[in-house]
Amino acid sequence: MQPRWDDLQDFLRVARAGQIARAAAAAGIDATTLARHLRRLEATLGQTLFEQSREGQVLTAAGEALLVAAEAMQQAASGIVATDADPDRLSGVLRVSVSEGFGTWFVAHHLRDFTAAHPDLTVDLVASSGFLSPSRREADIAVLLARPQTGPLVSSKLTDYALGLYAADLYAARHPLPVEPAAVRDHPLIGYVPDLLYAPELRYLAEIHDGLEPRIRSSSINAQYRLVAAGAGLGVLPRFIGDADRSLRRVLPERTIRRSFWLVTHQDTRGTKKVRAFREWLTGLVAAQRGRFG
């Protein structure tokens, strides 16, 4: 017995969204109906396609295999109904997961160039405190702070980048800035909420001086930037953020922190046209503006 096409489409919705409720809301259908379609598909195939986790639905090995086939079917079907004869024209949805700072301060400033070149492609730019997982098919492509060590992933270094300690001019006008690392502890520090860190690479202050702890804390790098710019204290910022604001100045410029961005895709989808096009566009853009990353 062959699976129904509408059941396969619902399977794709849940595989990409990671949750039945989220997929149903995005599609404008009832979650109970969507769940029933998934059960019917599993019964037709005689396989379990998802496992239930605290976060939602996670693909099984059988689900991963079906996802590759279903995406190929959907791409072929899109080509049949396409009105444009250009076989290289991109369509569908591309979901990109990036860190909040990189997404807001770099990708968002240039994304119009990519979307203008591909008018039939919808791009989801997920720029937040945390990452969607390419291995669980939550994103088509991700820019991560560390190279993944496990999973069916393909990764390459996008760029190294530098961070530094910053203060606003208005803060410096009221407070003498430290000229040695030990003196930083005498100033209010801005940083991440320790138990909400989504990556160990975000632990910065110890690389300025041992024992430093933030007194004003936020899970958002954009909020931290706003706090520094408002004169609330000193904070570590990526140089592509801090150097972009002329009202900020480097404190202890000899103390430079180094990190890297890694470009990550699932091994089964890395060769699809939309993923390849975005990867090549972003890699070229970063290379052309390498100076912004210190």
Side-chain angles (χ1 to χ4, degrees):
M1 184 176 179
Q2 295 296 318
R4 296 166 56 136
W5 177 236
D6 55 344
D7 289 351
L8 287 171
Q9 289 179 306
D10 286 340
F11 164 77
L12 284 171
R13 292 186 179 104
V14 177
R16 290 164 176 166
Q19 290 182 354
I20 290 176
R22 187 187 302 157
I29 59 180
D30 182 69
T32 302
T33 300
L34 187 55
R36 186 172 66 250
H37 290 178
L38 287 182
R39 290 195 298 271
R40 182 170 63 194
L41 179 61
E42 289 181 323
T44 300
L45 298 174
Q47 296 176 316
T48 300
L49 302 174
F50 293 99
E51 293 178 350
Q52 183 68 43
S53 71
R54 288 187 302 174
E55 291 77 21
Q57 278 63 47
V58 178
L59 287 166
T60 63
E64 289 277 3
L66 179 61
L67 181 60
V68 175
E71 286 182 330
M73 292 170 64
Q74 186 182 61
Q75 185 173 357
S78 298
I80 292 172
V81 301
T83 58
D84 196 311
D86 183 358
D88 295 324
R89 195 173 182 94
L90 303 183
S91 62
V93 177
L94 178 71
R95 179 162 293 177
V96 182
S97 177
V98 295
S99 65
E100 182 189 23
F102 182 67
T104 303
W105 288 83
F106 187 75
V107 179
H109 284 258
H110 302 280
L111 190 59
R112 66 180 182 273
D113 298 332
F114 180 79
T115 56
H118 305 289
D120 293 335
L121 183 66
T122 298
V123 178
D124 294 342
L125 180 63
V126 184
S128 59
S129 299
F131 296 100
L132 301 183
S133 170
S135 64
R136 296 199 299 268
R137 300 300 182 89
E138 295 172 339
D140 297 299
I141 190 165
V143 179
L144 305 181
L145 299 178
R147 186 172 199 167
Q149 300 301 310
T150 60
L153 302 172
V154 178
S155 58
S156 60
K157 184 182 285 189
L158 179 61
T159 185
D160 296 320
Y161 67 101
L163 306 96
L165 188 66
Y166 286 86
D169 288 342
L170 59 89
Y171 181 89
R174 299 194 305 263
H175 308 279
L177 295 179
V179 295
E180 57 182 23
V184 173
R185 69 175 71 252
D186 298 327
H187 296 260
L189 297 176
I190 298 160
Y192 283 98
V193 183
D195 59 341
L196 296 181
L197 282 172
Y198 60 88
E201 291 77 17
L202 299 177
R203 301 184 188 279
Y204 301 135
L205 289 175
E207 296 182 44
I208 300 296
H209 189 68
D210 290 339
L212 295 180
E213 296 291 341
R215 196 175 69 176
I216 307 171
R217 310 188 301 191
S218 174
S219 61
S220 165
I221 189 64
N222 285 335
Q224 292 177 41
Y225 156 71
R226 292 293 183 186
L227 287 162
V228 173
L234 311 182
V236 173
L237 299 172
R239 291 189 58 182
F240 59 82
I241 295 179
D243 290 355
D245 187 337
R246 294 185 179 181
S247 72
L248 302 186
R249 62 177 70 181
R250 290 282 305 278
V251 181
L252 303 176
E254 72 280 3
R255 293 279 171 158
T256 297
I257 299 168
R258 302 282 178 187
R259 294 290 187 269
S260 300
F261 285 130
W262 292 85
L263 197 56
V264 181
T265 58
H266 195 282
Q267 64 183 14
D268 292 335
T269 58
R270 67 183 298 263
T272 60
K273 290 179 181 178
K274 62 184 180 181
V275 171
R276 188 171 66 246
F278 187 85
R279 186 177 67 241
E280 291 173 355
W281 171 78
L282 184 59
T283 301
L285 178 65
V286 168
Q289 302 204 22
R290 189 77 65 189
R292 289 196 58 188
F293 298 95

